Amino acid sequence: MGASAAGRLIEFENVVAGYSPTLTILNELSLDARAGEITMLIGPNGAGKSTVLKALFGLLTPRAGEIRFGGRRVSGTAPRGMIDRGLAFVPQGRNLFPSLSVLHNLELGGITLPGRKLLRERIAEILDLFPPVRERLGNQASTLSGGEQKQLEIGRALLLKPRVLLIDEPSIGLSPKISQEVFQLLRRLADTGTTVLMVEQNVRSALKYADRALVLEMGRLALDRPAGELLEDPNLNRLFLGGAVARTGRAVAP
């Protein structure tokens, strides 16, 4: 498959994965995400959205099928190998070192960078993107607001200048205003070349900033639609209850 020619940076082909031999979450899942776009994974709880991110980042090894990144097979590659290939992952929930300062949290994100000078330069670039974080640089991470902590998590993930940002439920626990600011930031990142693969339950808000939406059901791809088109679909709310194809009357896009 000509991944680069088709603009497909990430590809899943008939991937089977789960958390035990008897618990299969992804059922021969095939999907793709294109370079420089925000692709949203949506669907009911248990559909496999977060499992896609974990399998791609190497936290979960597929039992069958193939995952490709930039046209090369990466199935089963460890997280460090995926980081070296240009992926960064911001998991769901809070993933900071709460007793350490904001600066120390950032420094830990750049621990693999060669030399302190480059680390300082990258941190300065990140702080330009996140003024609230810059103002709290010496504070313990636990003292930041929920929105500031999420900015810190994203900033730390960006220190290595990843090609792809995987992010799981970025708006969870945030106010509508702060959630919108996070989505706007992700849109700016995509517009400057960072591919974003996002799981998000705040669907109507997030779709305004996304390019494509992939709807999962029972570990399979049910719908592949432009985000703006899906946002206008009157059946959007029902997609979280299953039966996406039946309810919308639309099959997966080619």
Side-chain angles (χ1 to χ4, degrees):
M1 297 176 66
S4 58
R8 296 170 179 168
L9 184 60
I10 296 164
E11 296 173 280
F12 280 51
E13 184 176 351
N14 298 322
V15 171
V16 177
Y19 300 98
S20 75
T22 58
L23 180 59
T24 297
I25 304 298
L26 304 183
N27 293 288
E28 297 186 349
L29 175 66
S30 295
L31 56 78
D32 67 79
R34 298 163 191 162
E37 293 187 350
I38 296 178
T39 301
M40 278 186 63
L41 297 171
I42 63 177
N45 290 334
K49 306 180 296 296
S50 296
T51 305
V52 169
L53 302 187
K54 293 174 182 176
L56 176 58
F57 195 62
L59 296 171
L60 191 64
T61 300
R63 298 202 295 269
E66 185 168 285
I67 300 174
R68 292 185 291 273
F69 178 60
R72 296 185 177 183
R73 187 180 186 278
V74 295
S75 306
T77 301
R80 175 56 193 269
M82 297 309 295
I83 291 171
D84 291 342
R85 285 168 169 78
L87 274 76
F89 183 30
V90 179
Q92 185 180 148
R94 295 289 174 260
N95 295 276
L96 300 172
F97 297 93
S99 63
L100 297 184
S101 70
V102 169
L103 177 58
H104 286 160
N105 270 273
L106 286 171
E107 288 175 338
L108 287 171
I111 199 168
T112 61
L113 290 172
R116 296 286 299 179
K117 182 176 183 294
L118 179 58
L119 176 59
R120 288 195 297 269
E121 291 173 353
R122 293 282 179 86
I123 288 176
E125 293 173 5
I126 293 301
L127 294 177
D128 284 342
L129 288 174
F130 302 98
V133 174
R134 181 176 56 211
E135 294 168 5
R136 309 286 299 278
L137 205 56
N139 293 52
Q140 284 188 340
S142 60
T143 67
L144 272 61
S145 69
E148 290 167 345
Q149 289 188 34
K150 182 55 65 177
Q151 290 183 51
L152 176 55
E153 289 178 20
I154 296 173
R156 188 176 62 186
L158 295 176
L159 271 174
L160 301 182
K161 294 191 174 181
R163 295 173 63 189
V164 177
L165 178 65
L166 311 177
I167 188 162
D168 195 353
E169 301 284 5
S171 76
I172 194 166
L174 304 183
S175 70
K177 179 179 182 297
I178 300 301
S179 296
Q180 184 177 13
E181 291 176 0
V182 170
F183 296 144
Q184 289 171 343
L185 168 66
L186 296 176
R187 182 69 260 169
R188 291 196 299 272
L189 290 174
D191 289 342
T192 54
T194 302
T195 302
V196 178
L197 185 59
M198 173 172 57
V199 172
E200 178 55 60
Q201 290 285 354
N202 190 357
V203 175
R204 289 195 177 276
S205 296
L207 280 173
K208 297 174 185 177
Y209 299 94
D211 297 289
R212 290 171 67 212
L214 307 179
V215 181
L216 302 188
E217 284 184 358
M218 299 181 68
R220 293 185 173 90
L221 181 63
L223 291 174
D224 177 349
R225 302 269 292 278
E229 182 180 311
L230 187 60
L231 184 61
E232 297 174 359
D233 193 315
N235 295 293
L236 178 58
N237 289 338
R238 298 181 184 177
L239 297 179
F240 297 100
L241 302 176
V245 174
R247 286 189 170 98
T248 61
R250 295 291 297 276
V252 174

